[in-house]
Amino acid sequence: EIVMTQSPATLSVSPGERATLSCRASQSVSSDLAWYQQRPGQAPRLLIYSASTRATGIPARFSGSGSGTEFTFTISSLQSEDFAVYYCQQYNNWPRTFGQGTKVEIK
Amino acid sequence: QVQLQESGPGLVKPSETLSLTCTVSGYSISSGYYWGWIRQPPGKGLEWIGSLFHTGSTYYNPSLKSRVTMSVDTSRNQFSLKVASVTAADTAMYYCARGSFADYWGQGTLVTVSS
């Protein structure tokens, strides 16, 4: 099983600032990496797939990069609705696995 | 517009079998994609349970494999999940979703295991 490790666990950011989240895989997942946003009481929402491709309707302030074992997710200028938990997930191997999540909170 | 909707009992007794169904609208399961189940215990992260293809091929999380069964009913455009011998640790929000990366999700259904 591929273990996905996200850092930091919590990120405190002021509105308008940049947020950078990391995700590391225990072995290469090529570019088969997705990012999700989960707001309280809601189902997760797909933001990024193939490590860097934005899903339909996702604003350009969200971006992803990386390949192999190291991935980065960036929100260029945080809006109020972006304060949430973010998960990475690999889909290169079975079983699919998620990181433990990064909570982006208001500073 | 692709939509997924979970249904099933919200309360299951310990040692019994949890059964959920996901009804898909706006897309035919037979047209492709993997279809999966993901769960989230209260206050915790996401756990992938398993996926199936419309042909019936299945992939289960090894941590649950001995207790999980997934099936598909293409005539009703539904797929289902069964988890046997449940315990309190199976209490979670259960989501169904489309794809290897989940581009569409159901709203989730909370299943509580309690006597």
Side-chain angles (χ1 to χ4, degrees), chain A residues 56-102:
Chain A
T56 302
I58 301 303
R61 65 179 183 273
F62 296 100
S63 64
S65 64
S67 65
T69 62
E70 300 284 343
F71 300 89
T72 300
F73 174 79
T74 301
I75 310 172
S76 60
S77 177
L78 272 153
Q79 308 298 302
S80 58
E81 62 267 28
D82 300 336
F83 292 96
V85 179
Y86 293 83
Y87 295 94
C88 63
Q89 180 229 330
Q90 67 80 20
Y91 52 95
N92 184 262
N93 272 21
W94 301 98
R96 309 316 196 197
T97 46
F98 291 92
Q100 79 279 21
T102 291

mmCIF file of all heavy atoms in Angstrom, chain A residues 56-102:
data_model
loop_
_atom_site.group_PDB
_atom_site.id
_atom_site.type_symbol
_atom_site.label_atom_id
_atom_site.label_comp_id
_atom_site.label_asym_id
_atom_site.label_seq_id
_atom_site.Cartn_x
_atom_site.Cartn_y
_atom_site.Cartn_z
ATOM 1 N N THR A 56 -13.070 20.739 -13.752
ATOM 2 C CA THR A 56 -14.011 21.668 -14.365
ATOM 3 C C THR A 56 -14.535 22.680 -13.353
ATOM 4 O O THR A 56 -14.993 22.303 -12.260
ATOM 5 C CB THR A 56 -15.191 20.896 -14.974
ATOM 6 O OG1 THR A 56 -14.693 19.954 -15.929
ATOM 7 C CG2 THR A 56 -16.158 21.832 -15.665
ATOM 8 N N GLY A 57 -14.462 23.951 -13.703
ATOM 9 C CA GLY A 57 -15.034 24.997 -12.869
ATOM 10 C C GLY A 57 -14.178 25.441 -11.696
ATOM 11 O O GLY A 57 -14.609 26.292 -10.913
ATOM 12 N N ILE A 58 -12.984 24.891 -11.571
ATOM 13 C CA ILE A 58 -12.112 25.256 -10.446
ATOM 14 C C ILE A 58 -11.327 26.526 -10.792
ATOM 15 O O ILE A 58 -10.692 26.588 -11.837
ATOM 16 C CB ILE A 58 -11.160 24.093 -10.090
ATOM 17 C CG1 ILE A 58 -11.968 22.842 -9.729
ATOM 18 C CG2 ILE A 58 -10.215 24.493 -8.963
ATOM 19 C CD1 ILE A 58 -12.958 23.045 -8.585
ATOM 20 N N PRO A 59 -11.363 27.513 -9.889
ATOM 21 C CA PRO A 59 -10.681 28.783 -10.176
ATOM 22 C C PRO A 59 -9.174 28.639 -10.343
ATOM 23 O O PRO A 59 -8.555 27.737 -9.777
ATOM 24 C CB PRO A 59 -10.993 29.635 -8.930
ATOM 25 C CG PRO A 59 -12.209 29.024 -8.332
ATOM 26 C CD PRO A 59 -12.113 27.561 -8.620
ATOM 27 N N ALA A 60 -8.608 29.561 -11.090
ATOM 28 C CA ALA A 60 -7.181 29.501 -11.417
ATOM 29 C C ALA A 60 -6.278 29.747 -10.208
ATOM 30 O O ALA A 60 -5.077 29.484 -10.285
ATOM 31 C CB ALA A 60 -6.865 30.516 -12.518
ATOM 32 N N ARG A 61 -6.832 30.235 -9.105
ATOM 33 C CA ARG A 61 -5.981 30.453 -7.920
ATOM 34 C C ARG A 61 -5.525 29.131 -7.302
ATOM 35 O O ARG A 61 -4.610 29.108 -6.492
ATOM 36 C CB ARG A 61 -6.688 31.294 -6.857
ATOM 37 C CG ARG A 61 -7.914 30.683 -6.224
ATOM 38 C CD ARG A 61 -8.497 31.632 -5.167
ATOM 39 N NE ARG A 61 -9.644 31.059 -4.465
ATOM 40 C CZ ARG A 61 -10.879 31.160 -4.903
ATOM 41 N NH1 ARG A 61 -11.134 31.788 -6.045
ATOM 42 N NH2 ARG A 61 -11.870 30.621 -4.206
ATOM 43 N N PHE A 62 -6.164 28.030 -7.703
ATOM 44 C CA PHE A 62 -5.765 26.708 -7.238
ATOM 45 C C PHE A 62 -4.802 26.089 -8.269
ATOM 46 O O PHE A 62 -5.116 26.051 -9.463
ATOM 47 C CB PHE A 62 -6.969 25.785 -7.057
ATOM 48 C CG PHE A 62 -7.928 26.232 -6.000
ATOM 49 C CD1 PHE A 62 -9.093 26.905 -6.344
ATOM 50 C CD2 PHE A 62 -7.684 25.973 -4.660
ATOM 51 C CE1 PHE A 62 -10.001 27.323 -5.364
ATOM 52 C CE2 PHE A 62 -8.580 26.373 -3.672
ATOM 53 C CZ PHE A 62 -9.736 27.062 -4.022
ATOM 54 N N SER A 63 -3.670 25.581 -7.804
ATOM 55 C CA SER A 63 -2.745 24.947 -8.722
ATOM 56 C C SER A 63 -2.022 23.802 -8.030
ATOM 57 O O SER A 63 -1.905 23.768 -6.794
ATOM 58 C CB SER A 63 -1.728 25.957 -9.271
ATOM 59 O OG SER A 63 -0.919 26.474 -8.236
ATOM 60 N N GLY A 64 -1.555 22.862 -8.843
ATOM 61 C CA GLY A 64 -0.813 21.729 -8.323
ATOM 62 C C GLY A 64 0.409 21.461 -9.170
ATOM 63 O O GLY A 64 0.443 21.804 -10.365
ATOM 64 N N SER A 65 1.417 20.860 -8.556
ATOM 65 C CA SER A 65 2.634 20.516 -9.281
ATOM 66 C C SER A 65 3.265 19.284 -8.660
ATOM 67 O O SER A 65 2.870 18.852 -7.565
ATOM 68 C CB SER A 65 3.619 21.690 -9.262
ATOM 69 O OG SER A 65 4.043 21.952 -7.932
ATOM 70 N N GLY A 66 4.262 18.746 -9.360
ATOM 71 C CA GLY A 66 5.007 17.609 -8.848
ATOM 72 C C GLY A 66 4.780 16.351 -9.655
ATOM 73 O O GLY A 66 3.892 16.274 -10.511
ATOM 74 N N SER A 67 5.595 15.369 -9.369
ATOM 75 C CA SER A 67 5.453 14.041 -9.966
ATOM 76 C C SER A 67 6.336 13.085 -9.168
ATOM 77 O O SER A 67 7.215 13.515 -8.425
ATOM 78 C CB SER A 67 5.861 14.033 -11.442
ATOM 79 O OG SER A 67 7.233 14.314 -11.576
ATOM 80 N N GLY A 68 6.066 11.804 -9.354
ATOM 81 C CA GLY A 68 6.851 10.816 -8.613
ATOM 82 C C GLY A 68 6.378 10.704 -7.183
ATOM 83 O O GLY A 68 5.328 10.108 -6.922
ATOM 84 N N THR A 69 7.150 11.260 -6.253
ATOM 85 C CA THR A 69 6.786 11.138 -4.837
ATOM 86 C C THR A 69 6.520 12.476 -4.149
ATOM 87 O O THR A 69 6.067 12.480 -3.004
ATOM 88 C CB THR A 69 7.894 10.407 -4.053
ATOM 89 O OG1 THR A 69 9.102 11.172 -4.133
ATOM 90 C CG2 THR A 69 8.135 9.001 -4.610
ATOM 91 N N GLU A 70 6.832 13.582 -4.790
ATOM 92 C CA GLU A 70 6.690 14.887 -4.144
ATOM 93 C C GLU A 70 5.711 15.772 -4.907
ATOM 94 O O GLU A 70 5.891 16.002 -6.108
ATOM 95 C CB GLU A 70 8.056 15.585 -4.062
ATOM 96 C CG GLU A 70 9.105 14.820 -3.280
ATOM 97 C CD GLU A 70 8.888 14.906 -1.786
ATOM 98 O OE1 GLU A 70 8.143 15.796 -1.328
ATOM 99 O OE2 GLU A 70 9.462 14.073 -1.060
ATOM 100 N N PHE A 71 4.710 16.289 -4.196
ATOM 101 C CA PHE A 71 3.662 17.094 -4.812
ATOM 102 C C PHE A 71 3.391 18.327 -3.963
ATOM 103 O O PHE A 71 3.509 18.298 -2.736
ATOM 104 C CB PHE A 71 2.386 16.270 -4.964
ATOM 105 C CG PHE A 71 2.574 15.054 -5.817
ATOM 106 C CD1 PHE A 71 2.986 13.850 -5.247
ATOM 107 C CD2 PHE A 71 2.376 15.107 -7.187
ATOM 108 C CE1 PHE A 71 3.186 12.721 -6.025
ATOM 109 C CE2 PHE A 71 2.571 13.985 -7.978
ATOM 110 C CZ PHE A 71 2.976 12.793 -7.396
ATOM 111 N N THR A 72 2.987 19.381 -4.660
ATOM 112 C CA THR A 72 2.671 20.641 -4.005
ATOM 113 C C THR A 72 1.338 21.151 -4.519
ATOM 114 O O THR A 72 1.047 21.059 -5.710
ATOM 115 C CB THR A 72 3.762 21.689 -4.269
ATOM 116 O OG1 THR A 72 5.014 21.213 -3.760
ATOM 117 C CG2 THR A 72 3.425 23.012 -3.581
ATOM 118 N N PHE A 73 0.554 21.690 -3.597
ATOM 119 C CA PHE A 73 -0.728 22.308 -3.927
ATOM 120 C C PHE A 73 -0.684 23.737 -3.411
ATOM 121 O O PHE A 73 -0.288 23.981 -2.262
ATOM 122 C CB PHE A 73 -1.870 21.523 -3.271
ATOM 123 C CG PHE A 73 -3.223 22.144 -3.411
ATOM 124 C CD1 PHE A 73 -3.948 22.017 -4.594
ATOM 125 C CD2 PHE A 73 -3.799 22.849 -2.366
ATOM 126 C CE1 PHE A 73 -5.210 22.572 -4.715
ATOM 127 C CE2 PHE A 73 -5.056 23.411 -2.482
ATOM 128 C CZ PHE A 73 -5.760 23.277 -3.664
ATOM 129 N N THR A 74 -1.082 24.675 -4.262
ATOM 130 C CA THR A 74 -0.987 26.092 -3.898
ATOM 131 C C THR A 74 -2.308 26.804 -4.134
ATOM 132 O O THR A 74 -2.971 26.577 -5.155
ATOM 133 C CB THR A 74 0.118 26.782 -4.721
ATOM 134 O OG1 THR A 74 1.370 26.128 -4.486
ATOM 135 C CG2 THR A 74 0.248 28.253 -4.326
ATOM 136 N N ILE A 75 -2.674 27.621 -3.163
ATOM 137 C CA ILE A 75 -3.771 28.577 -3.342
ATOM 138 C C ILE A 75 -3.114 29.944 -3.352
ATOM 139 O O ILE A 75 -2.511 30.359 -2.356
ATOM 140 C CB ILE A 75 -4.809 28.479 -2.210
ATOM 141 C CG1 ILE A 75 -5.246 27.020 -1.993
ATOM 142 C CG2 ILE A 75 -6.027 29.353 -2.531
ATOM 143 C CD1 ILE A 75 -6.120 26.810 -0.768
ATOM 144 N N SER A 76 -3.219 30.635 -4.471
ATOM 145 C CA SER A 76 -2.395 31.842 -4.648
ATOM 146 C C SER A 76 -2.829 32.998 -3.768
ATOM 147 O O SER A 76 -2.003 33.771 -3.278
ATOM 148 C CB SER A 76 -2.417 32.272 -6.121
ATOM 149 O OG SER A 76 -3.744 32.555 -6.526
ATOM 150 N N SER A 77 -4.120 33.140 -3.549
ATOM 151 C CA SER A 77 -4.647 34.240 -2.739
ATOM 152 C C SER A 77 -5.921 33.731 -2.060
ATOM 153 O O SER A 77 -6.956 33.616 -2.704
ATOM 154 C CB SER A 77 -4.954 35.462 -3.612
ATOM 155 O OG SER A 77 -5.522 36.497 -2.836
ATOM 156 N N LEU A 78 -5.797 33.432 -0.778
ATOM 157 C CA LEU A 78 -6.897 32.760 -0.077
ATOM 158 C C LEU A 78 -8.150 33.622 0.021
ATOM 159 O O LEU A 78 -8.098 34.780 0.450
ATOM 160 C CB LEU A 78 -6.437 32.344 1.314
ATOM 161 C CG LEU A 78 -5.788 30.957 1.335
ATOM 162 C CD1 LEU A 78 -4.808 30.833 2.467
ATOM 163 C CD2 LEU A 78 -6.863 29.886 1.434
ATOM 164 N N GLN A 79 -9.260 33.033 -0.362
ATOM 165 C CA GLN A 79 -10.572 33.644 -0.191
ATOM 166 C C GLN A 79 -11.242 33.001 1.025
ATOM 167 O O GLN A 79 -10.849 31.919 1.471
ATOM 168 C CB GLN A 79 -11.420 33.412 -1.443
ATOM 169 C CG GLN A 79 -10.752 33.830 -2.742
ATOM 170 C CD GLN A 79 -10.449 35.313 -2.775
ATOM 171 O OE1 GLN A 79 -11.351 36.139 -2.630
ATOM 172 N NE2 GLN A 79 -9.174 35.662 -2.958
ATOM 173 N N SER A 80 -12.281 33.635 1.513
ATOM 174 C CA SER A 80 -12.945 33.155 2.736
ATOM 175 C C SER A 80 -13.462 31.729 2.568
ATOM 176 O O SER A 80 -13.429 30.923 3.495
ATOM 177 C CB SER A 80 -14.083 34.091 3.123
ATOM 178 O OG SER A 80 -15.011 34.199 2.065
ATOM 179 N N GLU A 81 -13.911 31.411 1.350
ATOM 180 C CA GLU A 81 -14.487 30.076 1.119
ATOM 181 C C GLU A 81 -13.424 28.980 0.976
ATOM 182 O O GLU A 81 -13.758 27.803 0.868
ATOM 183 C CB GLU A 81 -15.375 30.098 -0.134
ATOM 184 C CG GLU A 81 -14.662 30.440 -1.425
ATOM 185 C CD GLU A 81 -14.709 31.923 -1.760
ATOM 186 O OE1 GLU A 81 -14.795 32.746 -0.817
ATOM 187 O OE2 GLU A 81 -14.665 32.252 -2.964
ATOM 188 N N ASP A 82 -12.155 29.370 0.985
ATOM 189 C CA ASP A 82 -11.074 28.391 0.816
ATOM 190 C C ASP A 82 -10.618 27.787 2.144
ATOM 191 O O ASP A 82 -9.815 26.841 2.138
ATOM 192 C CB ASP A 82 -9.867 29.036 0.124
ATOM 193 C CG ASP A 82 -10.197 29.584 -1.251
ATOM 194 O OD1 ASP A 82 -11.174 29.099 -1.867
ATOM 195 O OD2 ASP A 82 -9.482 30.493 -1.714
ATOM 196 N N PHE A 83 -11.106 28.309 3.242
ATOM 197 C CA PHE A 83 -10.700 27.747 4.528
ATOM 198 C C PHE A 83 -11.454 26.441 4.715
ATOM 199 O O PHE A 83 -12.677 26.406 4.832
ATOM 200 C CB PHE A 83 -10.947 28.751 5.652
ATOM 201 C CG PHE A 83 -10.032 29.943 5.547
ATOM 202 C CD1 PHE A 83 -10.458 31.113 4.936
ATOM 203 C CD2 PHE A 83 -8.732 29.874 6.012
ATOM 204 C CE1 PHE A 83 -9.602 32.207 4.811
ATOM 205 C CE2 PHE A 83 -7.865 30.964 5.887
ATOM 206 C CZ PHE A 83 -8.303 32.119 5.279
ATOM 207 N N ALA A 84 -10.693 25.357 4.705
ATOM 208 C CA ALA A 84 -11.265 24.013 4.616
ATOM 209 C C ALA A 84 -10.142 23.005 4.856
ATOM 210 O O ALA A 84 -9.011 23.380 5.166
ATOM 211 C CB ALA A 84 -11.875 23.796 3.231
ATOM 212 N N VAL A 85 -10.488 21.728 4.712
ATOM 213 C CA VAL A 85 -9.481 20.671 4.781
ATOM 214 C C VAL A 85 -9.187 20.189 3.361
ATOM 215 O O VAL A 85 -10.114 20.030 2.549
ATOM 216 C CB VAL A 85 -9.951 19.500 5.661
ATOM 217 C CG1 VAL A 85 -8.882 18.405 5.694
ATOM 218 C CG2 VAL A 85 -10.248 19.978 7.077
ATOM 219 N N TYR A 86 -7.907 19.967 3.071
ATOM 220 C CA TYR A 86 -7.481 19.531 1.751
ATOM 221 C C TYR A 86 -6.807 18.158 1.849
ATOM 222 O O TYR A 86 -5.981 17.921 2.737
ATOM 223 C CB TYR A 86 -6.519 20.554 1.142
ATOM 224 C CG TYR A 86 -7.218 21.861 0.845
ATOM 225 C CD1 TYR A 86 -7.410 22.810 1.848
ATOM 226 C CD2 TYR A 86 -7.745 22.133 -0.414
ATOM 227 C CE1 TYR A 86 -8.086 23.988 1.599
ATOM 228 C CE2 TYR A 86 -8.420 23.308 -0.680
ATOM 229 C CZ TYR A 86 -8.596 24.225 0.334
ATOM 230 O OH TYR A 86 -9.285 25.390 0.084
ATOM 231 N N TYR A 87 -7.191 17.288 0.935
ATOM 232 C CA TYR A 87 -6.645 15.929 0.903
ATOM 233 C C TYR A 87 -5.974 15.660 -0.442
ATOM 234 O O TYR A 87 -6.498 16.059 -1.486
ATOM 235 C CB TYR A 87 -7.754 14.887 1.074
ATOM 236 C CG TYR A 87 -8.448 14.897 2.414
ATOM 237 C CD1 TYR A 87 -9.607 15.616 2.614
ATOM 238 C CD2 TYR A 87 -7.934 14.163 3.484
ATOM 239 C CE1 TYR A 87 -10.255 15.622 3.844
ATOM 240 C CE2 TYR A 87 -8.567 14.154 4.716
ATOM 241 C CZ TYR A 87 -9.726 14.885 4.882
ATOM 242 O OH TYR A 87 -10.356 14.885 6.109
ATOM 243 N N CYS A 88 -4.865 14.950 -0.405
ATOM 244 C CA CYS A 88 -4.308 14.396 -1.636
ATOM 245 C C CYS A 88 -4.673 12.916 -1.708
ATOM 246 O O CYS A 88 -4.968 12.286 -0.678
ATOM 247 C CB CYS A 88 -2.801 14.603 -1.714
ATOM 248 S SG CYS A 88 -1.816 13.776 -0.433
ATOM 249 N N GLN A 89 -4.692 12.379 -2.905
ATOM 250 C CA GLN A 89 -5.034 10.974 -3.119
ATOM 251 C C GLN A 89 -4.269 10.451 -4.328
ATOM 252 O O GLN A 89 -4.226 11.104 -5.375
ATOM 253 C CB GLN A 89 -6.531 10.804 -3.382
ATOM 254 C CG GLN A 89 -6.973 9.365 -3.627
ATOM 255 C CD GLN A 89 -7.833 9.199 -4.863
ATOM 256 O OE1 GLN A 89 -8.563 10.101 -5.254
ATOM 257 N NE2 GLN A 89 -7.782 8.027 -5.489
ATOM 258 N N GLN A 90 -3.670 9.275 -4.191
ATOM 259 C CA GLN A 90 -3.003 8.652 -5.338
ATOM 260 C C GLN A 90 -3.941 7.630 -5.970
ATOM 261 O O GLN A 90 -4.687 6.929 -5.268
ATOM 262 C CB GLN A 90 -1.665 8.012 -4.929
ATOM 263 C CG GLN A 90 -1.745 6.818 -4.007
ATOM 264 C CD GLN A 90 -2.075 5.506 -4.703
ATOM 265 O OE1 GLN A 90 -1.902 5.376 -5.919
ATOM 266 N NE2 GLN A 90 -2.563 4.523 -3.941
ATOM 267 N N TYR A 91 -3.893 7.556 -7.294
ATOM 268 C CA TYR A 91 -4.690 6.548 -8.004
ATOM 269 C C TYR A 91 -3.818 5.783 -9.001
ATOM 270 O O TYR A 91 -4.292 5.292 -10.023
ATOM 271 C CB TYR A 91 -5.912 7.181 -8.678
ATOM 272 C CG TYR A 91 -5.632 8.376 -9.560
ATOM 273 C CD1 TYR A 91 -5.467 8.245 -10.926
ATOM 274 C CD2 TYR A 91 -5.562 9.658 -9.007
ATOM 275 C CE1 TYR A 91 -5.234 9.337 -11.740
ATOM 276 C CE2 TYR A 91 -5.322 10.759 -9.813
ATOM 277 C CZ TYR A 91 -5.160 10.602 -11.174
ATOM 278 O OH TYR A 91 -4.923 11.698 -11.962
ATOM 279 N N ASN A 92 -2.533 5.679 -8.650
ATOM 280 C CA ASN A 92 -1.608 4.914 -9.488
ATOM 281 C C ASN A 92 -1.669 3.431 -9.171
ATOM 282 O O ASN A 92 -1.480 2.589 -10.050
ATOM 283 C CB ASN A 92 -0.186 5.452 -9.276
ATOM 284 C CG ASN A 92 0.842 4.789 -10.172
ATOM 285 O OD1 ASN A 92 1.543 3.874 -9.766
ATOM 286 N ND2 ASN A 92 0.920 5.249 -11.403
ATOM 287 N N ASN A 93 -1.919 3.118 -7.909
ATOM 288 C CA ASN A 93 -1.934 1.721 -7.454
ATOM 289 C C ASN A 93 -3.194 1.434 -6.653
ATOM 290 O O ASN A 93 -3.813 2.334 -6.079
ATOM 291 C CB ASN A 93 -0.725 1.463 -6.543
ATOM 292 C CG ASN A 93 0.509 1.045 -7.326
ATOM 293 O OD1 ASN A 93 0.609 1.311 -8.516
ATOM 294 N ND2 ASN A 93 1.433 0.399 -6.641
ATOM 295 N N TRP A 94 -3.517 0.127 -6.584
ATOM 296 C CA TRP A 94 -4.554 -0.319 -5.650
ATOM 297 C C TRP A 94 -3.860 -0.764 -4.360
ATOM 298 O O TRP A 94 -2.827 -1.432 -4.427
ATOM 299 C CB TRP A 94 -5.331 -1.495 -6.239
ATOM 300 C CG TRP A 94 -5.996 -1.212 -7.538
ATOM 301 C CD1 TRP A 94 -5.526 -1.530 -8.788
ATOM 302 C CD2 TRP A 94 -7.250 -0.529 -7.749
ATOM 303 N NE1 TRP A 94 -6.412 -1.100 -9.745
ATOM 304 C CE2 TRP A 94 -7.475 -0.488 -9.152
ATOM 305 C CE3 TRP A 94 -8.207 0.035 -6.909
ATOM 306 C CZ2 TRP A 94 -8.606 0.096 -9.712
ATOM 307 C CZ3 TRP A 94 -9.331 0.612 -7.471
ATOM 308 C CH2 TRP A 94 -9.527 0.635 -8.854
ATOM 309 N N PRO A 95 -4.421 -0.470 -3.180
ATOM 310 C CA PRO A 95 -5.629 0.342 -2.994
ATOM 311 C C PRO A 95 -5.350 1.820 -3.184
ATOM 312 O O PRO A 95 -4.230 2.290 -2.970
ATOM 313 C CB PRO A 95 -5.995 0.044 -1.542
ATOM 314 C CG PRO A 95 -4.680 -0.187 -0.870
ATOM 315 C CD PRO A 95 -3.847 -0.904 -1.893
ATOM 316 N N ARG A 96 -6.357 2.563 -3.636
ATOM 317 C CA ARG A 96 -6.241 4.015 -3.660
ATOM 318 C C ARG A 96 -6.034 4.486 -2.220
ATOM 319 O O ARG A 96 -6.616 3.920 -1.288
ATOM 320 C CB ARG A 96 -7.507 4.653 -4.218
ATOM 321 C CG ARG A 96 -8.016 4.096 -5.563
ATOM 322 C CD ARG A 96 -6.978 3.883 -6.591
ATOM 323 N NE ARG A 96 -7.561 3.731 -7.931
ATOM 324 C CZ ARG A 96 -6.911 3.222 -8.960
ATOM 325 N NH1 ARG A 96 -5.660 2.813 -8.818
ATOM 326 N NH2 ARG A 96 -7.505 3.139 -10.127
ATOM 327 N N THR A 97 -5.213 5.482 -2.027
ATOM 328 C CA THR A 97 -4.951 5.963 -0.679
ATOM 329 C C THR A 97 -4.958 7.480 -0.627
ATOM 330 O O THR A 97 -4.571 8.150 -1.585
ATOM 331 C CB THR A 97 -3.599 5.436 -0.153
ATOM 332 O OG1 THR A 97 -2.590 5.588 -1.164
ATOM 333 C CG2 THR A 97 -3.700 3.965 0.235
ATOM 334 N N PHE A 98 -5.407 7.980 0.515
ATOM 335 C CA PHE A 98 -5.488 9.412 0.777
ATOM 336 C C PHE A 98 -4.423 9.818 1.791
ATOM 337 O O PHE A 98 -4.037 9.017 2.662
ATOM 338 C CB PHE A 98 -6.846 9.777 1.374
ATOM 339 C CG PHE A 98 -8.007 9.640 0.439
ATOM 340 C CD1 PHE A 98 -8.724 8.441 0.387
ATOM 341 C CD2 PHE A 98 -8.422 10.693 -0.358
ATOM 342 C CE1 PHE A 98 -9.814 8.302 -0.460
ATOM 343 C CE2 PHE A 98 -9.509 10.577 -1.206
ATOM 344 C CZ PHE A 98 -10.206 9.374 -1.261
ATOM 345 N N GLY A 99 -4.008 11.069 1.708
ATOM 346 C CA GLY A 99 -3.262 11.651 2.801
ATOM 347 C C GLY A 99 -4.203 11.928 3.960
ATOM 348 O O GLY A 99 -5.428 11.831 3.821
ATOM 349 N N GLN A 100 -3.623 12.290 5.093
ATOM 350 C CA GLN A 100 -4.434 12.494 6.303
ATOM 351 C C GLN A 100 -5.115 13.859 6.343
ATOM 352 O O GLN A 100 -5.936 14.112 7.232
ATOM 353 C CB GLN A 100 -3.558 12.308 7.557
ATOM 354 C CG GLN A 100 -2.671 13.501 7.905
ATOM 355 C CD GLN A 100 -1.381 13.572 7.103
ATOM 356 O OE1 GLN A 100 -1.246 12.994 6.017
ATOM 357 N NE2 GLN A 100 -0.425 14.300 7.652
ATOM 358 N N GLY A 101 -4.790 14.719 5.390
ATOM 359 C CA GLY A 101 -5.435 16.022 5.296
ATOM 360 C C GLY A 101 -4.618 17.166 5.876
ATOM 361 O O GLY A 101 -3.855 16.987 6.825
ATOM 362 N N THR A 102 -4.783 18.336 5.295
ATOM 363 C CA THR A 102 -4.236 19.584 5.835
ATOM 364 C C THR A 102 -5.392 20.545 6.039
ATOM 365 O O THR A 102 -6.149 20.814 5.099
ATOM 366 C CB THR A 102 -3.209 20.222 4.880
ATOM 367 O OG1 THR A 102 -2.037 19.417 4.822
ATOM 368 C CG2 THR A 102 -2.839 21.629 5.353
#
